[in-house]
Amino acid sequence: MTETLGLRERKKRQTRQLISDVASGLFMQRGFDNVTVAEVAEAAGVSTKTVFNYFPRKEDLFLDRYPEAVELVTRAVRERAEGETPLAALRRLFLGMLREGHPLGGIAPGYEVFWQVVQDSPALRARARELVEEFEGVLAHLFAEAAGRDPADPADPAPRLAAALVVAAYRAVYVTSIDRIRAGDPMQDVLADRITLLDRALQAVERAVAAF
C-alpha cells in the first residue's frame, strides 16, 4: 500500500511539473495574457479540469514554486539547530540557496525573461503581490510559534513586524539584482553582490528585531 501511494504521489508530482513546464514555455513565448488554460491543457496532453486540479488559478501555473518556498522556510525555522534563532535559520537558508543555485534563489540564465513576463502582465503582478503578503503571514506565524506566542493575538505586533522586515529586506535586495541582470550586468557579479547584500540586510533585521 505504501509503495502504491508513493508511486501515485510521484506521478502526481510529475504531472504537475509537466503542466507547469509546458505553461511556462508558452507564457515565455507568447506572453501570459495571450495564452489560455485550454491551450496549456492541450499542449500538456491533459484536460482543462486536470490543470485546475493542480493549479486553481492561471497565475499559479507560472508562479508555481510558492508552495515549495513555504515548505522550505517552514522546515528551516521549525528544524533549526538548538540555540539558533529563526532569523538566523532563514538567513542560512536564503544564502545557501543562492550559493547552491537553487531555482528559488532567482539568479540564473533566463530569469530576466521570466521577470519580463511577470512585468508585462497585470494579472501576474497582482498575484505576485498577493503571494508576498501570504508569505509574510506565514513568516509571522512561524515567528510567533517559535517564541511561544499566539499568532492570532492582535495585541502582539512583534511577529508581524519581524516578518515584514524580513520580506522588505529580501525584496529590496532581490529587485536590485533583477534590475541589474536585466540591465546586462554579469551574472556572477550580481550573484556575489547579492549574497553580500542579503547577508548584511538580514543581519540588520535580526538586530532590529532583537531590540523589540
Side-chain angles (χ1 to χ4, degrees):
M1 177 65 72
T2 301
E3 184 176 344
T4 300
L5 289 174
L7 178 60
R8 186 179 304 160
E9 183 61 29
R10 285 197 300 273
K11 287 184 176 180
K12 287 175 62 178
R13 291 185 180 184
Q14 289 171 357
T15 300
R16 184 183 191 278
Q17 191 62 55
L18 170 64
I19 295 170
S20 174
D21 289 346
V22 168
S24 295
L26 290 173
F27 296 150
M28 288 186 189
Q29 290 171 12
R30 295 164 48 191
F32 179 80
D33 298 325
N34 298 322
V35 178
T36 67
V37 173
E39 289 173 321
V40 171
E42 182 179 2
V46 299
S47 67
T48 301
K49 180 180 178 180
T50 296
V51 173
F52 281 119
N53 283 341
Y54 287 96
F55 302 94
R57 297 176 59 162
K58 179 187 172 185
E59 293 81 7
D60 295 338
L61 283 162
F62 201 57
L63 304 173
D64 64 306
R65 288 188 175 272
Y66 175 73
E68 182 183 357
V70 170
E71 180 182 347
L72 286 171
V73 299
T74 300
R75 190 162 62 241
V77 172
R78 288 180 175 169
E79 299 178 7
R80 67 190 185 279
E82 184 177 354
E84 185 178 37
T85 67
L87 282 168
L90 289 177
R91 181 159 54 89
R92 175 170 51 80
L93 169 67
F94 294 153
L95 296 178
M97 289 166 62
L98 283 171
R99 294 184 177 114
E100 295 164 10
H102 192 284
L104 280 170
I107 293 186
Y111 268 62
E112 65 276 14
V113 179
F114 175 90
W115 284 110
Q116 189 61 54
V117 173
V118 175
Q119 184 63 32
D120 291 342
S121 171
L124 279 176
R125 293 201 306 273
R127 182 56 177 153
R129 287 193 293 270
E130 289 178 356
L131 291 178
V132 169
E133 291 178 2
E134 289 179 22
F135 191 72
E136 188 174 306
V138 169
L139 289 179
H141 185 96
L142 289 170
F143 292 158
E145 178 185 86
R149 305 183 184 198
D150 180 4
D153 184 359
D156 183 9
R160 294 190 296 277
L161 180 55
L165 289 172
V166 170
V167 169
Y170 189 92
R171 183 182 182 280
V173 176
Y174 192 99
V175 170
T176 298
S177 300
I178 294 299
D179 287 344
R180 288 184 59 189
I181 290 172
R182 294 175 66 185
D185 286 5
M187 192 78 65
Q188 288 305 312
D189 291 350
V190 176
L191 176 59
D193 290 346
R194 181 169 171 185
I195 289 172
T196 299
L197 287 173
L198 186 59
D199 189 20
R200 291 175 180 172
L202 292 178
Q203 286 191 57
V205 168
E206 186 156 20
R207 290 193 297 271
V209 168
F212 62 81

